[in-house]
Every structure is written in C-alpha cells, then in structure tokens.
C-alpha cells in the first residue's frame, strides 16, 4: 500500500464526514462481539474487553513489534522523532506541551492527546466522527502533510522500510508477528502492530478503581455527578467520557461539544487554525466542537483543551465555573460564554474553595501510577540497555 493510497484514505474520511455528521452528537448501533480474543491478554482487570477490528486481532507478537516501533525514531522520515516524542509514558502518554512540533519542525495544530485507554474511544483525534479505529487514525501522524508529523511519504517510504527490513531484530519481530507472509515488513503491517500496542494501553488501577479514595475525593465525586456542576454529562462511565466503545457496546454515542473556549464572531468561530468538527462537516453549528477526552490520568496531561490553552486543572475548573472564557484583548478577543454553539451543560456554577479542593481531589483519584510506570508499556530499547 503506497503513501498515495493513504492520502486517498484521508480524502475518503473527509468526504464521508460531509454526509450526515452535522449534529455533533451522533449515535450508532453496533453488534456486540462475543469473539473475545483468547490469544492476547489485554490486562483490563474489571474493565470490559476492547473491541478489535476484524482484520487485526491482537497477538503478543504484534504487540511487541508495535511496542518497538512506537519508540523507534527510524519510523520518521528524517529519523528525529518517534511516536513517543509526543506520547511519553510518565505523562500518561502526552508530552506536557501546549502544541508539539513535528519531525520537520512544524508546529502541530492540536495538543497531544493522552493514549490512556484509547482502546475504548468511539472516535479518534479531537474532532473527526469518521475515524473509528486506531488503525485509521494512525494514518494521520505517519503520513500527514499539513502539518508533517512523522513524515512518511512516497519519496522516503522505501528507505524507511529498508531500515527495519535490514535489522536482524526487526526481521525476527516482523516474522513472528506476521508468520504467514513472505515479506511482512510493510506499511500496513506497521500500522496493524502499532494499533495493537496502542489498544493495549489500559489504565485501571487508580484510587477510584481500587476503592481507596479519600473523603475529599468522595465529596468531589458527588459534586462531579451533580446537576449543579454537570461534569458527568460529558465525562461519564468507566472511562469518564461520553464517547466510549467496547466489546459489549450496543448503543454508541459519538458526541462533540463546544465548551465556550472562544467566540471570535457572531457564528461562534474559534481561531482559524482549528474550528473543530466544523472543519470536517462544514456545518456552522459545529464550530468549536471537540470530542470529550477521558479524565483518567488527567492530573498528568497538562496543559488542557484541544489547543493546550489552559495550563492547570484549577484553571479548568474555574473556566467551567465561569461558563466559558471571556478573552478581553489580543487576537482572540471574544466572549466564549456567549458562543451560540456552546453546550447546554456549560452553564456556569458557583464554587467554594472547599468544593474546588474536593473536585481536584476526585480528579487526582483517577491517576494510575502503575500505568505510568508499567514496564510492559515502557521503551524496550532502554530496558535492553539497563540489563
């Protein structure tokens, strides 16, 4: 499969998105699967099994290949970045930056999302209703041109494949992951193995999961689930997002919300660099709408929002308490509280210092230290050096 074919896939996703995806809160009925893969242990604990693509069932061999590729800078065109460059385990697979730089130095449009439990995402990226599988999303960082991330293209793809085809370690890993193929070192197989690794990044050992929350966190949970603060409407369920799909799902919600972050004109525009769902649907009512991310490990994923424009969790709570953001000067001046596309759930509320402290305690109780330090998810090349 050539890079041109992947560009064609991106175009197809965009065209399909123009049809019937303007509501910003679509529902889909899916058939639950009873075919739980017994060959691979996702280590989900009490959480449900992820839903796998039929053409890419997980195996330990694919997982290990994907894990190596995730941390290998040879996967980028100029060998300067890997997937880890924007997704570091200690930061819940984010990078701590407002917006990252791609391998050629271009500033990317959006904040790096956490890879925590992305196996359960109903859609991928911040605002695309068509990207429903990790494998489809991976096309963007690998082959995207506007802006460039890892920078694989027609001019360098053969060279990139040869880097792995000529390496004895990768000869072994590819042959074990795809034993029925004569030449398994291909771009589709790279995507499949990366998909398996990403799908297996499961976080399920927080204080919330283990029943060890503090009294303050328990009070914060009550506030979180209250009609006063409305948090649970967009961040509900075991993964703390209303955009969730798993092996037993029947009704799947694919919502996108405008939170009143900006309001540059009477149509509720966000900065031209990223108007969210609108850039896919071209429906003005979708301006500023983005997918609600999981809140698991949220304490480690600052800065926040799609553009990283809010620095701390305290500021996030103050933003929602205000019912949006009023920018009084500069190029983005405008009162987001009055954005016509703003979600009905972002209506503002009063919050005492004690309530803020309790809410923060609850959000911190969603942190999973075991996930952040799990050697199974760590850089295998660094582990080899430590031996």
């Amino acid at each position: 499969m050539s890079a041109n074919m992947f560009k064609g896939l991106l175009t197809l996703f965009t065209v399909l998105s123009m049809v019937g995806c303007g509501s910003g809160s679509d529902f889909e009925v899916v058939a639950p699967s009873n075919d739980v893969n017994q060959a691979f242990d996702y280590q989900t604990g009490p959480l449900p099994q992820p839903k796998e693509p039929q053409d890419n069932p997980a195996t330990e061999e694919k997982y290990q290949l994907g894990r190596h590729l995730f941390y290998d800078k040879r996967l980028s065109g100029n060998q300067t970045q890997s997937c880890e460059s924007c997704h570091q385990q200690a930061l819940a697979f984010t990078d701590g930056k407002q917006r990252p730089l791609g391998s050629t130095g271009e500033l990317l449009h959006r904040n790096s999302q956490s890879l925590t439990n992305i196996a359960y995402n109903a859609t991928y990226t911040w605002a695309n209703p068509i990207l429903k599988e990790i494998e489809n999303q991976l096309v963007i960082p690998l082959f995207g041109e506007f802006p460039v991330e890892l920078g694989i293209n027609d001019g360098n793809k053969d060279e990139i494949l040869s880097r792995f085809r000529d390496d004895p370690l990768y000869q072994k890993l590819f042959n074990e992951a795809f034993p029925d193929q004569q030449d398994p070192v291909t771009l589709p197989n790279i995507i499949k193995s990366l998909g398996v690794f990403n799908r297996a990044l499961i976080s399920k050992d927080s204080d919330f999961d283990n029943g060890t929350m503090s009294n303050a966190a328990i009070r914060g949970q009550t506030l979180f689930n209250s009609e006063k603060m409305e948090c649970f409407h967009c961040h509900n369920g075991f993964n703390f997002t209303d955009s969730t799909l798993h092996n037993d799902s029947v009704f799947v919600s694919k919502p996108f919300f405008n939170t009143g972050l900006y309001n540059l004109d009477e149509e509720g525009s966000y900065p031209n660099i990223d108007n969210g769902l609108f850039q896919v649907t071209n429906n003005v009512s979708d301006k500023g709408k983005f997918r609600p991310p999981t809140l698991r490990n949220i304490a480690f994923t600052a800065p926040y929002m799609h553009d990283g424009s809010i620095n701390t969790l305290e500021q996030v709570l103050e933003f929602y308490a205000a019912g949006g953001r009023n920018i009084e000067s500069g190029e983005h001046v405008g009162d987001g509280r009055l954005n016509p596309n703003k979600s009905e759930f972002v209506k503002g509320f009063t919050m005492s210092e004690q309530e803020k402290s309790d809410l923060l305690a609850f959000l911190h109780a969603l942190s999973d230290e075991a996930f952040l330090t799990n050697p199974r998810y760590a850089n295998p090349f660094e582990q080899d050096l430590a031996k």
Side-chain angles (χ1 to χ4, degrees):
M1 187 178 293
S2 71
N4 280 333
M5 292 181 69
F6 282 110
K7 295 173 192 175
L9 280 175
L10 288 173
T11 302
L12 176 61
F13 292 144
T14 302
V15 171
L16 289 174
S17 298
M18 301 298 181
V19 182
C21 294
S23 70
S25 186
D26 294 334
F27 288 86
E28 180 181 1
V29 179
V30 298
S33 174
N34 295 319
D35 299 326
V36 177
N37 187 347
Q38 300 300 316
F40 183 81
D41 183 6
Y42 278 104
Q43 302 182 14
T44 60
L47 302 187
Q49 287 289 314
K51 191 176 183 67
E52 296 181 335
Q54 291 185 351
D55 65 347
N56 191 25
T59 64
E60 182 65 22
E61 291 77 14
K62 286 183 190 175
Y63 174 88
Q64 292 299 341
L65 172 58
R67 178 183 172 213
H68 281 76
L69 290 168
F70 183 90
Y71 287 100
D72 200 324
K73 292 182 179 180
R74 286 177 290 179
L75 189 57
S76 62
N78 57 13
Q79 305 189 70
T80 62
Q81 288 190 353
S82 67
C83 303
E84 184 202 18
S85 300
C86 296
H87 300 285
Q88 300 162 26
Q89 184 181 9
L91 297 176
F93 292 97
T94 62
D95 60 6
K97 300 175 182 177
Q98 185 175 34
R99 287 156 50 202
L101 296 175
S103 61
T104 59
E106 290 185 72
L107 183 64
L108 305 190
H109 296 164
R110 294 173 175 171
N111 179 258
S112 296
Q113 287 193 313
S114 173
L115 300 185
T116 299
N117 287 8
I118 63 169
Y120 301 117
N121 284 6
T123 62
Y124 289 88
T125 76
W126 279 98
N128 192 320
I130 296 301
L131 295 176
K132 301 176 185 178
E133 293 178 353
I134 295 170
E135 287 79 359
N136 293 337
Q137 186 277 332
L138 282 165
V139 171
I140 297 173
L142 291 174
F143 302 94
E145 296 180 340
F146 307 104
V148 170
E149 294 186 51
L150 292 182
I152 301 176
N153 56 49
D154 282 333
N156 62 27
K157 62 184 177 65
D158 291 335
E159 175 193 344
I160 292 171
L161 290 175
S162 70
R163 296 170 190 167
F164 301 110
R165 189 176 287 120
D166 297 339
D167 185 314
L169 171 62
Y170 278 105
Q171 290 173 12
K172 177 176 182 293
L173 290 171
F174 273 97
N175 284 327
E176 290 176 344
F178 303 96
D180 297 329
Q181 298 182 20
Q182 183 174 357
D183 180 12
V185 185
T186 65
L187 293 172
N189 286 348
I190 286 174
I191 288 177
K192 285 183 175 182
S193 56
L194 284 171
V196 168
F197 174 73
N198 279 268
R199 195 172 288 112
L201 298 175
I202 304 294
S203 175
K204 42 66 164 112
D205 288 315
S206 67
D207 285 342
F208 169 82
D209 298 298
N210 297 328
T212 54
M213 291 198 301
S214 66
N215 289 334
I218 293 171
R219 293 194 300 269
Q221 181 181 19
T222 300
L223 289 168
F224 183 91
N225 290 322
S226 69
E227 293 294 342
K228 172 184 176 179
M229 295 188 174
E230 308 275 18
C231 312
F232 71 97
H233 287 293
C234 302
H235 297 282
N236 58 42
F238 71 89
N239 209 33
F240 295 93
T241 169
D242 196 32
S243 183
T244 301
L245 170 68
H246 54 80
N247 200 60
D248 299 320
S249 294
V250 178
F251 297 100
V252 182
S253 174
K254 298 181 293 181
F256 301 88
F257 298 104
N258 181 317
T259 60
L261 197 63
Y262 297 98
N263 186 19
L264 306 189
D265 56 32
E266 294 181 358
E267 293 185 346
S269 293
Y270 276 38
N272 285 334
I273 193 171
D274 195 352
N275 258 286
L277 191 63
F278 170 77
Q279 293 182 246
V280 177
T281 67
N282 209 32
N283 186 330
V284 294
S285 67
D286 287 335
K287 287 186 175 182
K289 289 184 177 179
F290 294 88
R291 178 178 59 82
T294 180
L295 298 185
R296 286 181 175 272
N297 293 309
I298 192 70
F300 293 92
T301 63
Y304 301 100
M305 304 302 181
H306 72 280
D307 59 353
S309 61
I310 298 184
N311 291 323
T312 68
L313 273 179
E314 291 89 341
Q315 292 171 345
V316 170
L317 294 183
E318 291 163 359
F319 161 78
Y320 282 114
R325 183 169 64 180
N326 182 21
I327 300 176
E328 298 181 339
S329 62
E331 61 176 324
H332 297 149
V333 63
D335 193 345
R337 300 170 299 180
L338 304 178
N339 191 303
N341 298 331
K342 191 181 73 169
S343 169
E344 61 181 321
F345 301 124
V346 186
K347 60 186 180 183
F349 50 83
T350 58
M351 177 176 58
S352 69
E353 286 301 313
Q354 182 63 59
E355 288 175 324
K356 182 195 295 186
S357 177
D358 290 345
L359 271 171
L360 288 171
F362 174 63
L363 293 174
H364 279 267
L366 304 180
S367 298
D368 180 356
E369 295 285 350
F371 176 77
L372 305 177
T373 58
N374 190 337
R376 180 165 169 79
Y377 305 148
N379 188 330
F381 302 108
E382 292 181 357
Q383 290 178 332
D384 289 343
L385 290 174
K387 290 180 180 179

